[in-house]
Amino acid sequence: MRERMKAAVIGGTGYGAVELIRLIKIHPHLKIGTVVSNSQAGNSFSEAYPHLTGILEQPLEKFDPKTLAEQNDVVFLATPSGVSSRLVPELMEEGVRCIDLSGDFRLKTEEQYESWYKHPSADRAYLNQAIYGLSEIYAEKISDARLIANPGCYPTATNLGLIPIIRTNLVDFESIIIDAKSGVSGAGRGLSLTSHYVEINENLKAYKLGKHQHIPEIEQVLEEESGHPITVSFTTHLVPMTRGIMCTMYVNLKRNLSTLEVYELYKKFYKNKPFVRVRPVGTIPATKEVWGSNYCDIGLHVDERTNRLTIISVIDNLMKGASGQAIQNANLMFGWDESTGLINIPMYP
């Protein structure tokens, strides 16, 4: 039996990192390698996350690219934006493959990144090397990648919901409206007024209207898939729940289609894609139904009065929206079945 590959995780005390640790622990071809947290180096991982007591007691380490490359086969970076752009070049110079969960390598130009993220961009040479890791759409490119830009949570739910109909040229590209709602874990583990219990409990907030950093990522993918310039109206909301994203998308159709016709189009598009479940006509997915899983569930409805298509897409933001898709991309990168280590029943209730 072939020895399992070592996977390092950088950004060890964030929610994305601890979810990666959970998935690597149960993966048949991966094992936990170095876990990096400069701020808590020397402490045991279980000190940051007591639920790992007796499961993962290894010490957190400082970033050292040479040692990381020598001791690990792949590095996952679950760092805040503006960090991995500095770390990835050092790692790649040492010859190790990288999967970045931040937004540092998703956009194609330095100017666009700096405009939306307000950080210095990664070097263009590395932007050009990065493969955008929307697993269901770019699997072939991912299989040859040495650097994967893992998609954002909102763009994953949005683009998986829109791409099948966008590719048909049956929609008005100027009519796309996206209403997106996320659980609080999407804001990360850091303390802020936004995620303070009293501020979010029994409350619903819209935020970053017209300014969310995932807007150019969504448009970039939709433009590539449609071959047309696309500008979307995208509004995000914070919901008082821990996990989950629901994106409700509205597009005007160019000709009359029934819900059944659209459903059949989506079923054909996602045939043999194990993590996208297109719900039967009349069934609308809920965030709880994908909780703790790598599934993206999609529901569809054509309003025959307005000839407008409504698409409901739900994911777990820490799984398909982050760490689950990162493991799916590692599977594709190393030539394993893309579902390896990821097939599980969503937790319910």
Side-chain angles (χ1 to χ4, degrees), residues 217-262:
E217 182 181 343
I218 291 167
E219 293 176 345
Q220 176 177 276
V221 172
L222 294 181
E223 287 181 0
E224 183 174 329
E225 292 302 311
S226 68
H228 295 271
I230 288 181
T231 303
V232 302
S233 295
F234 179 71
T235 303
T236 51
H237 306 77
L238 200 59
V239 180
M241 62 185 186
T242 301
R243 291 174 179 252
I245 279 179
M246 174 180 282
C247 290
T248 304
M249 293 152 279
Y250 308 93
V251 291
N252 293 337
L253 298 171
K254 288 182 179 178
R255 67 175 178 84
N256 293 334
L257 290 171
S258 68
T259 301
L260 181 59
E261 287 176 305
V262 177

Side-chain angles (χ1 to χ4, degrees), residues 143-183:
S143 67
D144 295 324
R146 299 199 64 82
L147 170 59
I148 294 174
N150 216 59
C153 50
Y154 285 127
T156 294
T158 297
N159 287 329
L160 288 177
L162 284 170
I163 285 172
I165 196 70
I166 288 292
R167 279 195 184 177
T168 67
N169 206 28
L170 291 172
V171 300
D172 176 0
F173 295 126
E174 297 181 359
S175 71
I176 301 171
I177 297 172
I178 305 158
D179 179 298
K181 298 177 175 66
S182 175

Side-chain angles (χ1 to χ4, degrees), residues 98-207:
C98 298
I99 300 175
D100 179 37
L101 279 70
S102 81
D104 284 6
F105 296 92
R106 295 174 192 157
L107 302 181
K108 292 180 178 178
T109 69
E110 297 105 318
E111 296 79 15
Q112 199 174 37
Y113 175 86
E114 291 173 0
S115 173
W116 287 90
Y117 280 86
K118 313 303 181 187
H119 296 296
S121 172
D123 186 89
R124 182 178 291 271
Y126 291 97
L127 295 180
N128 292 340
Q129 286 185 57
I131 299 299
Y132 187 71
L134 190 58
S135 307
E136 282 71 21
I137 308 302
Y138 303 117
E140 189 173 338
K141 291 181 179 179
I142 292 165
S143 67
D144 295 324
R146 299 199 64 82
L147 170 59
I148 294 174
N150 216 59
C153 50
Y154 285 127
T156 294
T158 297
N159 287 329
L160 288 177
L162 284 170
I163 285 172
I165 196 70
I166 288 292
R167 279 195 184 177
T168 67
N169 206 28
L170 291 172
V171 300
D172 176 0
F173 295 126
E174 297 181 359
S175 71
I176 301 171
I177 297 172
I178 305 158
D179 179 298
K181 298 177 175 66
S182 175
V184 186
S185 61
R189 204 182 189 197
L191 301 177
S192 71
L193 186 62
T194 302
S195 57
H196 190 286
Y197 176 81
V198 176
E199 296 288 329
I200 190 60
N201 183 49
E202 298 182 24
N203 198 7
L204 180 60
K205 292 182 179 181
Y207 68 100

